[in-house]
Amino acid sequence: MNKNKISPAVVRRLPKYFRYLTNLENEGIEKISSRQLSEITGFTASQIRQDLNHFGGFGQQGYGYRVTDLKNSIIKIIGLNQEYNVAIVGFGHIGQAIYRYRGFDTKKFNVLGVFDLEDYEALDGKVKVQSIDKFEDFLTKNQVDIVVLTVPKEEAQKVSDMLVGKNVKGVWNFAPTNVKVDDNIPVENIHLSESLYTLIYYMGNPEQYIEK
Amino acid sequence: MNKNKISPAVVRRLPKYFRYLTNLENEGIEKISSRQLSEITGFTASQIRQDLNHFGGFGQQGYGYRVTDLKNSIIKIIGLNQEYNVAIVGFGHIGQAIYRYRGFDTKKFNVLGVFDLEDYEALDGKVKVQSIDKFEDFLTKNQVDIVVLTVPKEEAQKVSDMLVGKNVKGVWNFAPTNVKVDDNIPVENIHLSESLYTLIYYMGNPEQYIEK
DNA sequence: TAGATTGTTAATCGATTAACAATC
DNA sequence: TAGATTGTTAATCGATTAACAATC
């Protein structure tokens, strides 16, 4: 496992491999060659082989890759073989959508707490939303791995400042701003407006659009 | 305007320039050099100058860039000087979050219709959700520029197939799958799970994380 | 004019693709 | 063994950074 210097481009393809392999597995397909995967994913076979070999030799010459084995390997590479404790800060439309999103395995993502401006009960009493005033104390008393930030941009940095020294391992930021946290804590941004604006640019310049 | 071959990397920075320049303008700052912008954005001054010069010479030697002028230029480059008609297909958590999202200028994005499995009224009667059966006919009778796809992945391709020949100009896809549409229609994907999984990878390998 | 900063070309760096020997 | 396909090195391509002449 030469994990020394995996490029961001490779890292962002890992979840895609996971997705395509999961689909293949669900279709009952047991083996796949880099050539076949290439047709499905749109990546070149060469790129697929090189990507995978950053993490080890998962294939078999003359045969290809066993779908389930490769999928399980990628699960471990990404870290999806573990559970994660989550706190959602900001329980507006996006916070609620994330809370209820069925797209990820809910067994693996354990929402420990939900925070907003004040205490209240949401979703017919099923969710106890806590005041943001209690957030720092909560982080001290609970091991929160992932903080999901869905607060307005004015508040995003204030909340981020509360994470210092709390053993939070990552921030998933939906606020339309770039927050600063400890250097060793990764931040993954979902900037909805930027995504929409990129689409609009290509709508006006479709000849420049390159699929995928 | 040499728009011949703008690289995707440059295009994705345009909304970021727009965001930073908007902030600067709101702070009342009138001029900025590429050096100063570099400190704010984290891009190199060289990159900023080169990015902008793909679209024209917006600066003034020895002075820098006028914030408002540059912002307005970028608005036009992206295409944010126009209005867009939007249809939201899928009115679950994410569809609703997009519908109500305040992050983008609602005057520019005109939601013409909302579609889901069946007719009903949502949000205290304020939103008439229409059955997906009426979607194709709706597209024929209305100029929909942007289709926001927030349906389950099994339905995403079916809905995409309805867009053929309907003069839709772009698809903003939240379904965790890659949909196929006409080659000249750009598709911008928001794959939430992939974003979260990328974060998790870096949480397990923080030394590989490169800010931004 | 002198100082500052752009616009632009050239050099570097990194990521993708091609090629092929290794091997199942 | 022969055919297929990987793992890996080398070649290419593209994007970023550096440098500097142009010019405000």
Side-chain angles (χ1 to χ4, degrees):
Chain A
M1 282 232 195
N2 171 26
K3 282 201 182 180
N4 304 354
K5 34 193 165 183
I6 310 295
S7 83
V10 175
V11 173
R12 291 198 177 273
R13 281 193 292 271
L14 292 174
K16 295 183 190 287
Y17 291 128
F18 174 58
R19 169 158 62 88
Y20 288 114
L21 288 164
T22 302
N23 290 346
L24 287 167
E25 190 183 43
N26 290 340
E27 289 163 20
I29 293 165
E30 290 182 5
K31 67 153 284 211
I32 191 133
S33 68
S34 58
R35 178 79 211 289
Q36 292 169 308
L37 249 187
S38 160
E39 278 156 26
I40 294 168
T41 62
F43 309 139
T44 62
S46 196
Q47 183 168 60
I48 291 166
R49 292 201 301 278
Q50 196 161 86
D51 281 357
L52 297 176
N53 277 97
H54 280 112
F55 304 97
F58 303 110
Q60 204 177 334
Q61 273 108 328
Y63 177 85
Y65 301 86
R66 300 204 159 271
V67 170
T68 298
D69 290 352
L70 184 55
K71 192 205 74 169
N72 288 334
S73 297
I74 289 176
I75 282 176
K76 280 183 198 135
I77 292 165
I78 296 176
L80 290 172
N81 53 335
Q82 291 173 239
E83 291 189 14
Y84 296 94
N85 291 331
V86 176
I88 296 176
V89 185
F91 207 57
H93 308 308
I94 295 177
Q96 288 176 46
I98 298 300
Y99 181 84
R100 309 210 243 179
Y101 190 54
R102 307 278 86 191
F104 6 86
D105 191 337
T106 44
K107 271 169 283 173
K108 295 212 169 106
F109 300 98
N110 192 11
V111 179
L112 288 192
V114 172
F115 296 84
D116 208 310
L117 286 178
E118 51 184 36
D119 286 335
Y120 69 100
E121 296 196 351
L123 308 178
D124 306 321
K126 267 178 276 181
V127 182
K128 313 270 186 223
V129 178
Q130 300 180 60
S131 161
I132 187 68
D133 296 339
K134 298 175 182 166
F135 185 52
E136 279 201 72
D137 186 51
F138 186 89
L139 288 177
T140 306
K141 290 177 179 154
N142 298 273
Q143 173 51 41
V144 171
D145 302 308
I146 301 173
V147 169
V148 183
L149 263 187
T150 70
V151 299
K153 69 173 192 291
E154 295 77 15
E155 313 299 325
Q157 189 55 56
K158 289 180 207 162
V159 176
S160 302
D161 290 340
M162 297 178 188
L163 311 183
V164 178
K166 297 293 198 302
N167 207 24
V168 168
K169 300 208 191 81
V171 175
W172 201 19
N173 176 42
F174 289 76
T177 182
N178 287 60
V179 296
K180 284 184 201 89
V181 294
D182 272 312
D183 271 354
N184 51 340
I185 301 181
V187 177
E188 169 75 11
N189 293 303
I190 298 263
H191 288 328
L192 290 175
S193 295
E194 290 179 16
S195 173
L196 178 61
Y197 297 165
T198 301
L199 175 63
I200 285 170
Y201 176 86
Y202 282 119
M203 285 164 58
N205 304 273
E207 76 287 356
Q208 290 175 28
Y209 176 70
I210 303 154
E211 208 174 329
K212 185 77 169 317
Chain B
M1 280 229 198
N2 169 25
K3 283 201 182 184
N4 303 356
K5 33 191 164 182
I6 309 295
S7 83
V10 175
V11 173
R12 292 201 175 270
R13 282 193 292 270
L14 293 173
K16 293 182 191 288
Y17 291 129
F18 174 57
R19 169 158 62 88
Y20 288 114
L21 288 164
T22 302
N23 290 345
L24 287 167
E25 190 183 42
N26 290 341
E27 290 163 21
I29 293 166
E30 291 182 3
K31 67 153 284 209
I32 191 130
S33 68
S34 58
R35 178 79 211 289
Q36 292 170 307
L37 249 187
S38 159
E39 279 157 24
I40 293 167
T41 61
F43 309 139
T44 63
S46 197
Q47 183 168 60
I48 291 166
R49 292 201 301 279
Q50 197 161 85
D51 281 357
L52 297 176
N53 278 95
H54 280 111
F55 304 98
F58 303 111
Q60 204 176 333
Q61 273 108 329
Y63 177 85
Y65 301 86
R66 299 204 161 272
V67 170
T68 299
D69 290 354
L70 184 56
K71 192 205 74 168
N72 288 335
S73 297
I74 289 176
I75 282 176
K76 278 181 200 137
I77 292 166
I78 296 176
L80 290 173
N81 53 335
Q82 293 173 239
E83 290 188 15
Y84 296 93
N85 291 332
V86 176
I88 297 176
V89 184
F91 207 57
H93 308 308
I94 295 176
Q96 288 177 46
I98 297 300
Y99 181 84
R100 310 210 241 178
Y101 190 53
R102 307 277 88 194
F104 7 85
D105 191 337
T106 44
K107 269 170 284 175
K108 295 214 168 104
F109 299 98
N110 191 11
V111 179
L112 288 192
V114 172
F115 296 83
D116 208 311
L117 286 178
E118 51 185 38
D119 287 335
Y120 69 100
E121 296 196 349
L123 308 177
D124 306 321
K126 267 178 275 179
V127 182
K128 313 272 185 220
V129 178
Q130 300 180 61
S131 161
I132 188 67
D133 296 339
K134 298 174 182 166
F135 185 52
E136 279 200 72
D137 187 52
F138 186 89
L139 288 177
T140 306
K141 290 177 179 154
N142 298 273
Q143 172 51 41
V144 171
D145 302 308
I146 301 173
V147 169
V148 183
L149 263 188
T150 70
V151 300
K153 69 173 192 291
E154 295 76 16
E155 312 299 326
Q157 189 55 55
K158 289 181 207 162
V159 176
S160 301
D161 290 340
M162 298 178 188
L163 311 183
V164 179
K166 297 294 196 301
N167 207 23
V168 168
K169 300 209 190 81
V171 175
W172 200 19
N173 175 41
F174 288 76
T177 183
N178 288 60
V179 296
K180 284 184 203 88
V181 294
D182 273 312
D183 271 354
N184 50 339
I185 301 181
V187 177
E188 169 76 10
N189 293 303
I190 297 264
H191 288 327
L192 289 175
S193 295
E194 290 179 16
S195 173
L196 178 61
Y197 296 165
T198 301
L199 175 63
I200 285 169
Y201 176 86
Y202 282 119
M203 286 166 57
N205 304 274
E207 76 288 354
Q208 290 174 29
Y209 176 70
I210 302 153
E211 209 175 329
K212 184 77 164 318

